[in-house]
Amino acid sequence: NDSSTFEIKFRKTLMPFDRIQVDYSATVTSDAVIGTAGNDNKAVLTYGNNSTTTESSTTKTYVWEMGVCKFANLGGDATNHALADAEFQLYKKDGDTQKYAMFTETGTNTSIYKLTGWTNNATEAIKVKTPANGNITFEGLDAGTYYLEETKAPVGYNKLTAPITVVISSTLPTTGGTASYTVTADGATTTDPIVRVENKAGTVLPSTC
């Protein structure tokens, strides 16, 4: 009847000097707070005939976001010309297995996508499309290495020949500190953090060997 998400009850009486170890895992949902505020997780142990309660143990779980800016350098005043209708999917590697991100858009035409899970099936992966301003945002990512793959380029432009390796690195706070994170794209630190993806116009001719 309290705010706990689960309880553990023992069916047999514990004896003096019994040792108990409780391990549990949790999945961050799409409702998680994104960024440096973190998400609180609190554990409390109540035990004994007198219902002795330990002090609560609180941890924070952090999830991050990254942006993608799709553009073309047309020169002059159009060095950052936004490109619409580019399609991307995001995946990570678990050994030799590729796991593709599943996202849901946070609203109608927001271009902000929250992570909801992972799939081993590439055909089930969510492909996101850039809007007119060329910007999309992925939310709910843990620190780690990801691969941003362009699956379709805008009409008149060449698709990227290889995925971009994206690394999210986080620094968790000590007492009184704040959390922070950085995003690198193919080894270069991004700003804001936004991964800038440039397309070049033209036709790629078939190669011969």
Side-chain angles (χ1 to χ4, degrees):
N1 296 324
D2 56 18
S3 60
S4 297
T5 55
F6 68 90
E7 292 182 350
I8 299 173
K9 294 185 178 181
F10 298 96
R11 294 182 176 272
K12 59 186 296 184
T13 303
L14 299 177
M15 302 302 293
F17 306 111
D18 279 350
R19 183 176 183 272
I20 302 169
Q21 177 174 319
V22 177
D23 298 312
Y24 71 92
S25 63
T27 300
V28 176
T29 69
S30 58
D31 295 327
V33 174
I34 308 299
T36 58
N39 298 271
D40 290 328
N41 292 278
K42 183 170 69 174
V44 177
L45 176 63
T46 302
Y47 64 95
N49 294 332
N50 297 322
S51 297
T52 303
T53 301
T54 64
E55 293 185 6
S56 63
S57 174
T58 302
T59 63
K60 279 185 179 290
T61 300
Y62 297 88
V63 288
W64 310 107
E65 69 177 22
M66 76 173 197
V68 175
C69 174
K70 188 66 173 174
F71 73 101
N73 184 352
L74 304 183
D77 296 331
T79 57
N80 293 291
H81 178 71
L83 293 178
D85 298 327
E87 292 185 3
F88 293 94
Q89 63 184 12
L90 190 71
Y91 67 88
K92 63 181 181 179
K93 294 182 179 179
D94 183 3
D96 294 331
T97 302
Q98 291 185 177
K99 293 187 175 181
Y100 296 86
M102 306 293 289
F103 293 101
T104 182
E105 194 169 10
T106 59
T108 303
N109 298 325
T110 63
S111 298
I112 300 174
Y113 298 89
K114 273 200 172 184
L115 180 70
T116 59
W118 299 88
T119 177
N120 294 342
N121 190 341
T123 61
E124 295 177 355
I126 302 300
K127 295 180 177 65
V128 300
K129 182 183 294 187
T130 56
N133 64 9
N135 296 314
I136 56 177
T137 301
F138 296 129
E139 293 187 341
L141 298 171
D142 194 5
T145 301
Y146 301 91
Y147 301 89
L148 180 66
E149 181 178 14
E150 184 178 32
T151 58
K152 181 181 178 182
V155 174
Y157 290 87
N158 298 323
K159 183 167 67 72
L160 297 185
T161 58
I164 298 172
T165 301
V166 179
V167 178
I168 299 177
S169 303
S170 61
T171 301
L172 302 185
T174 55
T175 303
T178 57
S180 62
Y181 77 110
T182 58
V183 175
T184 62
D186 286 340
T189 302
T190 65
T191 57
D192 291 334
I194 297 174
V195 178
R196 289 173 52 79
V197 182
E198 182 180 2
N199 272 141
K200 296 184 182 296
T203 301
V204 177
L205 296 176
S207 60
T208 59
C209 60

